[in-house]
Amino acid sequence: MKYVIVTGGVVSGLGKGVTASSIGVVLKGCGLRVTSIKIDPYLNTDAGTMSPFEHGEVFVLDDGGEVDLDLGNYERFLDITLTKDNNLTTGKIYQSVIDKERKGDYLGKTVQVVPHITNAIQDWIERVAKIPVDGREGEPDVCVIELGGTVGDIESMPFFEALSQFHDRVGAENFCLVHVSLVPVLGVVGEQKSKPTQHSVRELRALGLTPSLLACRSAKPLEQSTKDKISQFCHVSAAHILNIYDVPNIWHIPPLLRDQNAHLAILKKFNLFSPSKIPHPELGEWEKMADGCDKLTVPVAIAMVGKYTGLSDSYLSVIKALLHAANACSRKLALTWVAATDLEDSAKEENPAAHAKAWEDLKSADGVLVPGGFGDRGVQGKILAAKYARENKVPYLGICLGLQIAVIEFARSVLGLKDANSTEFDEATSNPCVVFMPEVNKHIKGGTMRLGARRTFLQTTDCISAKLYQQELYIDERHRHRYEVNPEMVDKLEAAGLKFVGKDETGRRMEIMELPGHPFYVGVQYHPEFKSRPVKPSAVFLGLVMAASGQMETYLKGDGGVLRTPYELSTKKALPKAVYQNGHANGVVEPVKANGTCNGVHSVNLSNGVSR
């Protein structure tokens, strides 16, 4: 097993996650099987209880792991499926060591950071690195490990010590350290400054680690004189100094690293380089994505109505999924953030300018998206957004809470139940449209929600969702919720026109909601953004963008031919035939064929720069 360690210095937010992912892409392009581990030095066991304002979104894995958002980068870049053990935290390590101590596994010895904590870290890395994550049998060839934080952080010290020991444990030929640093330019002088990188490398060496390569972040390409100076003072060959400068979108980064021969430097460090067979990573798809998204000009405006609009990382996977879908439909995503609280009536008096601007942004959008969330702040604003989209036939996608919001709004406006609500927001409501799930723990927050990949059974092929999912009778998507649509109210809601076209295996848990007669009014209880990929856009996100860009009608009409959407083209898999397992009559249901005209470059226009 070969290990690539990615550390960071000077400041946080330099893009270690994107750098680690891009290195993995380049090595994968050389024919190696790659896995990833993210080390987070915080004491939390996982990211599940952390506020999005503190640490960005909580990314959910198939096995129910609530992990750091960088694991989302790894999955999207490398098209792999990670496990919760691929996210290592200080909390997990200390908990495992303390549990062993309580059981007497240390035979009365004094348990210390060295060697017990550091050994536990190394054992964890070696164990998890062997887990296949690409759907194939056998161990991966390379494990890319990102250490969160920056050199010098107090909470990171046990991990730096463990990695220093790990170097000797696995051998120098199996250990490659890439240090990400910053080369700033002072506005007054206009000169690229190497001193921050010099100090960062010096700090790293003091901890017993020597970088094999330096990945220098800068606004513009490094000047040769700057690179020579860094090489001289940091004792790293100029050929091993990589420059990751700002680019229009992060899909340019893997080709950028390849063009600087990052793969050759790493392969030589691992003794995998053969002069007779010089590898050239196949990154044609990445170049196509990167160049294609730069050329997109026709916009599609999506209003995202949420409560964490002050930090884009709070909805990182949602943004990525929108970009995947937009670029698959040859549209340039124009995303507008709308703070849900600014839509509420109270904002009209408290902040009339913000209120007017929020409604102007909502009404000028081609589509509306209400993402997941917790708590009652901004709920009324989200309900107003859902009402506007429903009444004005504006394409709407509600995710998790967004589904529940749409149900509450429909019950109030159409059924006339003015006090209809979720028990999350009003436990005393006489018309609970959304209720707490009986199996969920009300008192312990961490890891007690309905988490991970769950199966949803489509109730009919005659619905938008079935056509977007290629008429599959069931789908597997990732979940993260404590509340669900009240099954006791489903009959009333459906009698009034709302349809629940996707349910769980019991038939009592609502998973997909649609409003017939509306161009696109869809809500899903799961989080489809977590499984969206650049060339495999999420089906419902694709539906939102197609509807918002005027392509849905042609797609839905079809001509009896073969379905040809970007989703179908990218998955390249046959439509399955299956038997309903939710109480419907047995029998194989043949998929309904259709075709569409949503063609375009499979590319993604991600945010500028390479920060995560």
Side-chain angles (χ1 to χ4, degrees):
M1 175 66 68
K2 307 294 183 180
Y3 300 91
V4 177
I5 317 298
V6 179
T7 61
V10 185
V11 294
S12 60
L14 284 179
K16 294 190 302 296
V18 172
T19 302
S21 302
S22 299
I23 289 173
V25 170
V26 173
L27 294 178
K28 185 177 179 181
C30 291
L32 299 173
R33 295 176 63 192
V34 181
T35 185
S36 295
I37 294 175
K38 172 66 187 297
I39 298 175
D40 284 303
Y42 47 68
L43 280 170
N44 304 62
T45 301
D46 58 35
T49 57
M50 299 176 73
S51 166
F53 283 127
E54 289 274 339
H55 204 66
E57 76 169 4
V58 176
F59 191 81
V60 179
L61 302 170
D62 271 1
D63 65 359
E66 297 174 286
V67 298
D68 183 80
L69 56 79
D70 276 319
L71 273 77
N73 274 330
Y74 305 155
E75 285 203 342
R76 285 186 290 267
F77 270 68
L78 297 170
D79 195 18
I80 55 179
T81 302
L82 300 172
T83 72
K84 57 187 175 184
D85 285 345
N86 288 86
N87 192 191
L88 175 58
T89 69
T90 298
K92 286 181 180 179
I93 285 295
Y94 274 78
Q95 188 175 58
S96 67
V97 170
I98 291 173
D99 288 345
K100 287 183 179 180
E101 185 274 330
R102 290 290 82 189
K103 290 190 296 183
D105 289 358
Y106 297 113
L107 301 176
K109 291 183 179 179
T110 301
V111 180
Q112 298 175 294
V113 174
V114 180
H116 300 99
I117 295 295
T118 53
N119 283 346
I121 293 170
Q122 296 175 71
D123 292 342
W124 188 296
I125 290 173
E126 282 196 321
R127 174 178 62 83
V128 175
K130 296 177 181 178
I131 300 174
V133 295
D134 56 3
R136 297 157 57 191
E137 295 183 357
E139 298 179 7
D141 301 310
V142 180
C143 180
V144 180
I145 303 169
E146 177 193 351
L147 175 55
T150 58
V151 174
D153 292 344
I154 293 175
E155 60 266 29
S156 300
M157 291 304 176
F159 293 101
F160 278 108
E161 176 61 29
L163 290 173
S164 178
Q165 296 176 17
F166 195 61
H167 173 273
D168 297 331
R169 180 169 173 170
V170 301
E173 70 280 3
N174 298 316
F175 188 98
C176 179
L177 177 61
V178 180
H179 187 61
V180 183
S181 186
L182 176 68
V183 179
V185 174
L186 299 183
V188 178
V189 180
E191 178 187 1
Q192 293 178 336
K193 293 295 184 180
S194 65
K195 193 63 70 176
T197 297
Q198 294 179 39
H199 285 295
S200 181
V201 172
R202 183 182 303 166
E203 181 78 17
L204 187 64
R205 290 181 184 277
L207 295 172
L209 290 166
T210 299
S212 307
L213 293 89
L214 290 178
C216 297
R217 285 282 290 110
S218 60
K220 296 181 179 180
L222 283 185
E223 298 173 2
Q224 188 59 45
S225 59
T226 304
K227 184 177 288 190
D228 292 340
K229 190 173 184 180
I230 293 173
S231 174
Q232 180 180 5
F233 284 93
C234 296
H235 307 290
V236 176
S237 168
H240 290 179
I241 297 177
L242 310 173
N243 180 206
I244 306 177
Y245 50 84
D246 290 352
V247 291
N249 64 78
I250 60 174
W251 306 115
H252 285 284
I253 302 303
L256 181 65
L257 291 180
R258 179 204 59 193
D259 293 344
Q260 297 178 63
N261 292 321
H263 58 294
L264 296 182
I266 295 172
L267 293 177
K268 288 178 180 178
K269 184 70 170 64
F270 289 153
N271 289 332
L272 296 176
F273 177 77
S274 172
S276 61
K277 189 176 180 181
I278 300 177
H280 185 76
E282 293 296 330
L283 302 180
E285 190 69 32
W286 286 87
E287 292 172 318
K288 181 181 177 182
M289 288 191 298
D291 295 337
C293 75
D294 290 345
K295 298 174 183 177
L296 295 176
T297 57
V298 180
V300 57
I302 303 295
M304 180 135 72
V305 182
K307 61 185 290 188
Y308 308 116
T309 55
L311 180 66
S312 61
D313 274 2
S314 300
Y315 301 111
L316 184 64
S317 290
V318 175
I319 297 172
K320 304 301 189 200
L322 280 171
L323 289 162
H324 299 165
N327 286 282
C329 291
S330 297
R331 293 295 185 270
K332 185 177 180 65
L333 178 65
L335 182 61
T336 301
W337 299 90
V338 178
T341 51
D342 290 342
L343 294 172
E344 297 176 354
D345 294 338
S346 58
K348 190 173 184 179
E349 296 182 2
E350 298 170 1
N351 194 340
H355 179 266
K357 180 64 166 58
W359 275 102
E360 179 185 350
D361 290 341
L362 182 66
K363 292 181 178 180
S364 63
D366 300 316
V368 177
L369 190 152
V370 176
F374 299 92
D376 60 359
R377 183 171 66 86
V379 164
Q380 186 57 37
K382 295 175 184 178
I383 290 175
L384 291 171
K387 182 177 182 179
Y388 168 79
R390 180 181 61 81
E391 293 181 341
N392 293 276
K393 295 191 180 298
V394 176
Y396 173 91
L397 175 61
I399 298 173
C400 197
L401 177 61
L403 160 69
Q404 299 168 10
I405 289 293
V407 170
I408 294 170
E409 187 281 321
F410 189 86
R412 290 181 181 181
S413 302
V414 179
L415 293 181
L417 306 175
K418 301 303 180 184
D419 68 337
N421 213 332
S422 167
T423 55
E424 180 181 6
F425 315 130
D426 181 8
E427 293 186 359
T429 178
S430 58
N431 290 290
C433 296
V434 179
V435 295
F436 198 85
M437 290 188 295
E439 71 269 30
V440 175
N441 192 314
K442 288 187 176 182
H443 307 292
I444 299 176
K445 300 295 184 183
T448 59
M449 288 184 279
R450 184 170 179 249
L451 294 164
R454 307 283 178 138
R455 182 152 291 180
T456 294
F457 292 90
L458 295 168
Q459 306 300 295
T460 174
T461 57
D462 188 22
C463 63
I464 290 177
S465 299
K467 292 172 183 177
L468 290 172
Y469 277 106
Q470 308 296 288
Q471 283 73 38
E472 296 183 8
L473 299 184
Y474 62 85
I475 53 177
D476 295 312
E477 295 278 13
R478 298 175 182 178
H479 293 67
R480 185 176 185 252
H481 64 114
R482 288 191 178 91
Y483 291 82
E484 63 176 338
V485 175
N486 186 354
E488 304 301 325
M489 290 196 68
V490 169
D491 289 343
K492 290 182 181 179
L493 292 165
E494 291 201 316
L498 205 62
K499 299 300 179 185
F500 294 97
V501 300
K503 300 180 182 180
D504 76 340
E505 67 279 0
T506 69
R508 287 182 56 81
R509 182 156 288 154
M510 305 303 112
E511 293 281 4
I512 306 176
M513 170 220 77
E514 290 186 10
L515 182 61
H518 192 287
F520 187 85
Y521 196 82
V522 176
V524 294
Q525 186 59 70
Y526 48 81
H527 287 266
E529 67 271 22
F530 292 141
K531 295 182 74 171
S532 183
R533 299 289 186 267
V535 296
K536 303 175 189 174
S538 164
V540 289
F541 277 91
L542 188 63
L544 174 65
V545 173
M546 283 197 294
S549 58
Q551 302 180 64
M552 178 63 81
E553 185 177 355
T554 303
Y555 164 65
L556 289 179
K557 284 181 179 178
D559 61 1
V562 179
L563 191 63
R564 301 297 290 177
T565 66
Y567 181 77
E568 187 262 350
L569 289 170
S570 61
T571 53
K572 295 185 177 66
K573 61 180 180 180
L575 304 181
K577 298 178 182 179
V579 179
Y580 279 129
Q581 301 179 28
N582 54 3
H584 285 236
N586 289 334
V588 176
V589 179
E590 293 290 345
V592 178
K593 293 182 179 180
N595 81 339
T597 59
C598 179
N599 299 314
V601 178
H602 296 300
S603 58
V604 177
N605 181 18
L606 298 183
S607 55
N608 290 338
V610 297
S611 65
R612 70 178 188 185

